Amino acid sequence: MGKGLAALLGTPVDDDGNPIEEASSFDRSSPRPAAPEGNASSIKTLELPIDDIQPNPFQPRREFNPDEIASLAESIKNHQQLQPVLVRVVEGRYQLISGERRLRATIHAGLKTIRAEVREADDRLVAELAIIENLQRKDLNPIEKAMSFKRYIDEHQCKQDDLARRLSIDRSTIANLMRLLELPQTILDMLTAGEISAGHARALLPIGEEQVQITMARRIVDETLSVRAIENAVSEMLRAEEDTETGLKVTNKSRQKRKPIPPHIEAMQQEMRMVFGTKVEIKASARSRGKITIHFNDADEFERLRALLGSAARPQLRVAG
């Protein structure tokens, strides 16, 4: 992480004892806790009773692999604890900052105490550190990541751009994950269980009807469809809806006569559908003029799109080609 965080927490490590990369930095203007009395740079290392450590309330991770915990517990019993967990003092009690897997493994190993370093950190910094630590773990599911972003933004009343800047990641990463939370709970459960991927889930966003989204999600599982296949299926569905709305009777012959959409327009159309989560049509003439139509199904979706289009943080679209 950047010097701002390192100055406060030293060199943080993940649950496997690896230093967290410095690619993610925070603004030096970030809120900081009051400096402790005496030597502000001192770090206290203690052997704390397990029962004295409260969990990290900002921990986005909800699923912990039992086999991994058991393996880590065996390692701790055989080789002792190589890296201390990080804790802070909150209202006179110790609260975990980083190292929940090590803490769980220590409990699994039957040990009563754990080596810990006591650091100074406020709530916002602890939340940011929890997000960064878990983003680097590939087995953290997309919904846990999305929920951690949402909670941070709600609690600190900031925008996606603000969080992206503080974490030094692309805003699109945050936006794409948070958009998944708009899907029905049935699909979120499938995503959490690993039955479908985040790419599959994003491809379902342009569909307006929840039940249709769920039906398509089940098709992904039953037919083992690729992301590309489901994107094509959704595009075909949206084209069929457009034909129905315009009253056009579609036959194989009429489809053959229909003027094909240029590849770069089709690519941009698909990208905008992913960004806005609804049907988007682009009509372009040979003289580079045209129009973009964004569809909505009800008042709530209209308000969502209006807020998205009117916000300072507009979606960043790349020109496909």
Side-chain angles (χ1 to χ4, degrees):
M1 290 207 231
K3 294 182 179 178
L5 186 59
L8 187 58
L9 292 182
T11 303
V13 295
D14 64 18
D15 282 340
D16 297 318
N18 302 314
I20 293 177
E21 297 292 337
E22 293 192 0
S24 297
S25 60
F26 297 93
D27 296 340
R28 295 175 183 268
S29 59
S30 303
R32 305 292 177 84
E37 294 181 3
N39 184 357
S41 63
S42 63
I43 300 173
K44 297 179 182 179
T45 302
L46 304 173
E47 193 76 19
L48 297 179
I50 294 293
D51 294 338
D52 286 357
I53 301 177
Q54 296 178 324
N56 181 348
F58 306 104
Q59 171 63 259
R61 191 176 183 82
R62 295 293 178 264
E63 303 288 335
F64 290 85
N65 188 309
D67 294 335
E68 288 184 1
I69 297 298
S71 177
L72 184 55
E74 191 66 25
S75 176
I76 289 174
K77 283 194 291 187
N78 293 334
H79 305 290
Q80 298 185 336
Q81 182 185 345
L82 300 180
Q83 286 286 347
V85 298
L86 299 183
V87 299
R88 62 174 180 161
V89 177
V90 179
E91 297 180 351
R93 299 195 63 183
Y94 295 108
Q95 185 183 90
L96 191 67
I97 295 176
S98 173
E100 183 155 346
R101 286 177 69 249
R102 275 167 280 163
L103 180 60
R104 287 172 178 255
T106 300
I107 295 172
H108 189 279
L111 304 178
K112 301 301 181 183
T113 63
I114 189 169
R115 189 158 57 94
E117 288 185 358
V118 183
R119 304 293 181 94
E120 289 283 340
D122 63 6
D123 285 354
R124 188 165 191 171
L125 188 58
V126 172
E128 290 167 357
L129 180 57
I131 292 173
I132 285 295
E133 182 181 12
N134 282 287
L135 279 177
Q136 295 179 354
R137 294 191 60 80
K138 294 181 180 179
D139 55 345
L140 189 69
N141 75 64
I143 300 306
E144 289 175 323
K145 294 178 183 179
M147 290 299 296
S148 70
F149 292 148
K150 184 179 186 303
R151 178 176 180 177
Y152 184 98
I153 289 172
D154 289 346
E155 288 188 354
H156 298 288
Q157 295 297 298
C158 65
K159 296 180 179 179
Q160 292 180 5
D161 280 340
D162 299 326
L163 179 57
R165 186 176 64 253
R166 292 180 72 88
L167 301 185
S168 290
I169 61 178
D170 290 338
R171 191 196 68 84
S172 60
T173 299
I174 296 174
N176 287 337
L177 283 169
M178 289 188 64
R179 289 295 316 287
L180 297 178
L181 299 178
E182 299 174 13
L183 291 166
Q185 187 60 48
T186 299
I187 296 178
L188 298 185
D189 292 341
M190 296 171 71
L191 183 54
T192 299
E195 297 177 31
I196 62 174
S197 70
H200 286 120
R202 279 195 296 273
L204 299 174
L205 284 168
I207 303 173
E209 298 287 337
E210 284 193 1
Q211 192 54 53
V212 178
Q213 289 175 325
I214 293 171
T215 299
M216 293 294 285
R218 288 174 176 156
R219 272 191 62 193
I220 294 171
V221 177
D222 294 341
E223 302 175 27
T224 60
L225 298 177
S226 67
V227 174
R228 183 63 177 170
I230 199 65
E231 287 177 347
N232 290 339
V234 170
S235 294
E236 183 64 25
M237 179 188 300
L238 296 178
R239 280 195 293 268
E241 288 180 1
E242 178 187 353
D243 293 338
T244 300
E245 290 170 3
T246 58
L248 178 64
K249 185 177 180 181
V250 182
T251 64
N252 288 335
K253 187 174 182 180
S254 65
R255 283 194 185 278
Q256 291 174 358
K257 289 182 177 179
R258 177 184 290 173
K259 186 177 180 181
I261 301 175
H264 70 285
I265 296 295
E266 177 67 28
M268 177 61 80
Q269 201 167 248
Q270 180 66 21
E271 184 174 355
M272 292 185 73
R273 287 169 180 169
M274 295 299 103
V275 170
F276 292 109
T278 189
K279 184 165 67 173
V280 177
E281 300 168 80
I282 299 177
K283 305 288 186 182
S285 68
R287 293 187 294 177
S288 300
R289 299 184 62 179
K291 64 180 180 179
I292 298 174
T293 304
I294 302 175
H295 294 247
F296 60 92
N297 294 296
D298 51 40
D300 289 340
E301 186 167 28
F302 174 81
E303 286 301 320
R304 178 181 68 79
L305 292 169
R306 186 177 68 84
L308 186 61
L309 291 167
S311 67
R314 288 182 172 84
Q316 296 299 311
L317 299 176
R318 59 178 174 78
V319 177

